Amino acid sequence: MRLRYDWRGERMFQPEYEAMGRAELEALQLERLNGLLVRVYENVPTYRAKFDEAGLTPHVTSLADLAEFPFTVKDDLRAAYPYKMFAVPLRDIVRVHSSSGTTGQITVVGYTAGDIDRWADMMARTLACAGATPDDVVQVTYGYGLFTGGLGAHYGSERLGCTTIPISGGNTKRQVQVLKDFGATILACTPSYAVLIAETAAEMGIDPRSLPLKAGVFGAEPWSENMRKQIEQMLDITAIDIYGLSEVLGPGVASECSCQCGLHVNEDHFIIEIVDPQTLRPVPEGERGEVVFTTLTKEGIPVVRYRTRDISRIVPGECACGRTFRRMERVTGRTDDMLIIRGVNVFPSQIEQVLAGIPGVAPHYQVVLTKRGSMDHVEVHVEVGADVVFDEIKTLEALRRRVGGEIASALAVNIDVKLVEPKSIQRSEGKAKRVLDLREEGSA
């Protein structure tokens, strides 16, 4: 598949959609939305019951009418386990994926052949956003299996015509060797794993910046702008953020382009809303809130107004790349990851943003929650950099005070800081575990 160009010269996989005029795009969305509402009402008992209870017919005359429809939440999918939310017979499902199930019953999602085809197109768009062409070699280190990341990136890479290395996760030294020997130019993984790859390369005596990589497509966890700068400096690449979740599709829902100023939502396939997490009403464009998605073209398990729990906002204005899809800001956290510390709402990614700008600390941290008597206690464990002498008490105390001071200044709340030795915080080959909750263990 050859890349095509819109009139501004930006590489796009499907410019006829990605650069579509706004009026034409919204007309397409409205047509597809009405088709979706009829489909779920006729084929999914959960939606038929929800619509009937709300007194709604499966038809809208404008996109604004969508705000009157009920939300879908993860518990709806859990209650329908495994196949009761499917909108087509099981014989039409060619693949099943699921969430990790780390917070309860896993959620199951099914794909028709058409879903797989459209998913490949959306991931091809994502890779093109990162500057990939059929001349590139894509190393996919997202996990393969029930997790949607690996196969989603894989099919998109093949659809774009790239050489694809399906290495999956694990064995980081081998990852580095393959990057070097196979000439990989695009890396697909979580941002925290990109840092580990760079560190491992250095430990192997390989300059991470000498690897043939030119870009990375990083997602599956919130990460800060400062962490992006660190990854770009460590690997000498362009790092773009990608977004997706299994309940909506998987990776490919939205992606940054080379402008790095918001993630273009594939609006020909999805409607994005930002709602107030408390009132559940749409917020004015540009304000932060919870991201809600409606799938317009998904056949296997379409969702109407799915509450993602992710916090973001719509970036106002047009992007210089020429794509007309609206952009969402990088996710800053999740409503269920938010910590309330002495009345202040804090997301782990905010702490990461502060730490990434402080010399002498590594980009590895963990927020540890414990109990002190009847009170919750929060402490941030931060690794010192490899160039800091860990047994120099004065140096460490000055660094600890600086870290604590900058966190307090940025977040408007004091949090205890503990500096720990290099490599003492467990590394992850997938999503980094940023919050360690020990309160139920009665730790002090």
Side-chain angles (χ1 to χ4, degrees):
M1 176 66 70
R2 282 194 170 276
L3 288 170
R4 289 158 284 170
Y5 297 79
D6 85 327
W7 62 274
R8 303 186 195 195
E10 177 76 12
R11 289 191 185 97
M12 295 184 193
F13 181 68
Q14 294 175 314
E16 66 273 27
Y17 292 107
E18 296 175 78
M20 182 180 284
R22 194 75 215 168
E24 185 182 4
L25 174 60
E26 290 183 357
L28 177 64
Q29 287 183 313
L30 184 60
E31 177 187 350
R32 288 179 169 179
L33 175 59
N34 276 307
L36 163 75
L37 294 175
V38 170
R39 224 164 50 244
V40 299
Y41 186 81
E42 292 181 348
N43 298 303
V44 185
T46 298
Y47 283 116
R48 188 180 309 118
K50 281 177 177 281
F51 291 6
D52 287 348
E53 183 179 354
L56 296 167
T57 58
H59 179 75
V60 293
T61 57
S62 74
L63 294 176
D65 294 341
L66 179 61
E68 302 307 315
F69 280 75
F71 292 100
T72 307
V73 296
K74 182 166 280 194
D75 281 347
D76 291 323
L77 301 180
R78 289 173 175 152
Y81 176 88
Y83 302 139
K84 294 176 185 174
M85 288 287 282
F86 285 13
V88 298
L90 195 58
R91 66 176 178 270
D92 294 335
I93 297 293
V94 300
R95 190 191 303 169
V96 172
H97 282 287
S98 78
S99 67
S100 62
T102 55
T103 57
Q105 171 85 325
I106 65 173
T107 58
V108 177
V109 289
Y111 300 78
T112 66
D115 290 333
I116 296 295
D117 188 60
R118 286 182 288 274
W119 190 11
D121 282 344
M122 283 182 266
M123 275 307 298
R125 292 179 186 180
T126 293
L127 290 163
C129 276
T133 75
D135 295 322
D136 281 299
V137 178
V138 179
Q139 183 156 322
V140 181
T141 76
Y142 289 114
Y144 283 64
L146 287 178
F147 173 60
T148 55
L151 283 168
H154 180 111
Y155 274 63
S157 175
E158 290 188 340
R159 177 60 54 87
L160 189 59
C162 303
T163 301
T164 308
I165 305 174
I167 194 168
S168 192
N171 198 337
T172 308
K173 288 185 177 180
R174 184 184 64 167
Q175 298 274 2
V176 173
Q177 202 65 53
V178 170
L179 280 169
K180 179 175 177 290
D181 295 345
F182 289 21
T185 54
I186 308 288
L187 176 63
C189 65
T190 62
S192 56
Y193 195 45
V195 171
L196 179 57
I197 285 173
E199 292 177 338
T200 303
E203 291 168 4
M204 294 168 64
I206 299 171
D207 179 1
R209 295 173 62 85
S210 71
L211 295 171
L213 290 171
K214 70 177 188 182
V217 288
F218 304 127
E221 63 187 20
W223 54 308
S224 66
E225 183 62 27
N226 277 343
M227 188 172 186
R228 186 217 299 274
K229 292 175 182 176
Q230 283 192 327
I231 292 172
E232 290 186 329
Q233 194 279 327
M234 294 171 85
L235 289 168
D236 192 24
I237 62 172
T238 298
I240 73 162
D241 190 25
I242 69 173
Y243 177 84
L245 62 165
S246 60
E247 294 84 358
V248 174
L249 175 77
V253 175
S255 173
E256 285 184 323
C257 63
S258 58
C259 297
Q260 298 178 319
C261 57
L263 295 92
H264 294 274
V265 177
N266 284 310
E267 288 189 279
D268 52 334
H269 297 285
F270 308 101
I271 291 177
I272 181 174
E273 300 174 80
I274 307 293
V275 303
D276 184 309
Q278 303 303 318
T279 67
L280 300 182
R281 298 302 299 172
V283 302
E285 185 163 303
E287 289 190 12
R288 283 186 179 83
E290 182 178 341
V291 180
V292 172
F293 276 109
T294 295
T295 62
L296 296 176
T297 59
K298 200 170 181 189
E299 297 170 335
I301 182 167
V303 291
V304 178
R305 305 196 78 202
Y306 181 75
R307 292 184 59 186
T308 67
R309 302 290 182 180
D310 291 327
I311 300 297
S312 184
R313 71 183 183 96
I314 298 297
V315 179
E318 296 182 357
C319 184
C321 75
R323 292 175 178 85
T324 53
F325 292 155
R326 289 195 298 173
R327 293 164 292 152
M328 59 181 282
E329 188 177 65
R330 179 194 284 120
V331 170
T332 55
R334 293 176 51 82
T335 57
D336 45 7
D337 281 345
M338 184 179 74
L339 306 171
I340 302 177
I341 303 174
R342 290 183 284 282
V344 177
N345 296 342
V346 175
F347 293 99
S349 59
Q350 292 175 292
I351 296 173
E352 176 187 288
Q353 175 76 5
V354 175
L355 297 178
I358 302 176
V361 298
H364 302 289
Y365 70 97
Q366 200 160 50
V367 181
V368 181
L369 307 178
T370 57
K371 280 282 190 184
R372 284 191 175 176
S374 61
M375 300 293 291
D376 290 343
H377 180 252
V378 182
E379 185 173 72
V380 181
H381 292 186
V382 183
E383 281 189 16
V384 301
D387 55 344
V388 175
V389 181
F390 194 77
D391 57 1
E392 289 187 357
I393 296 177
K394 288 185 179 180
T395 300
L396 289 177
E397 180 57 23
L399 182 58
R400 188 191 66 80
R401 284 198 303 268
R402 178 176 178 183
V403 172
E406 296 207 16
I407 289 176
S409 177
L411 277 58
V413 64
N414 290 312
I415 300 177
D416 289 346
V417 174
K418 179 180 179 181
L419 299 181
V420 298
E421 296 188 46
K423 300 181 183 163
S424 60
I425 292 177
Q426 184 175 357
R427 304 298 194 258
S428 172
E429 295 168 351
K431 297 182 182 182
K433 186 174 178 61
R434 297 303 192 191
V435 179
L436 183 62
D437 192 344
L438 301 178
R439 289 174 293 185
E440 299 232 344
E441 298 179 16
S443 298

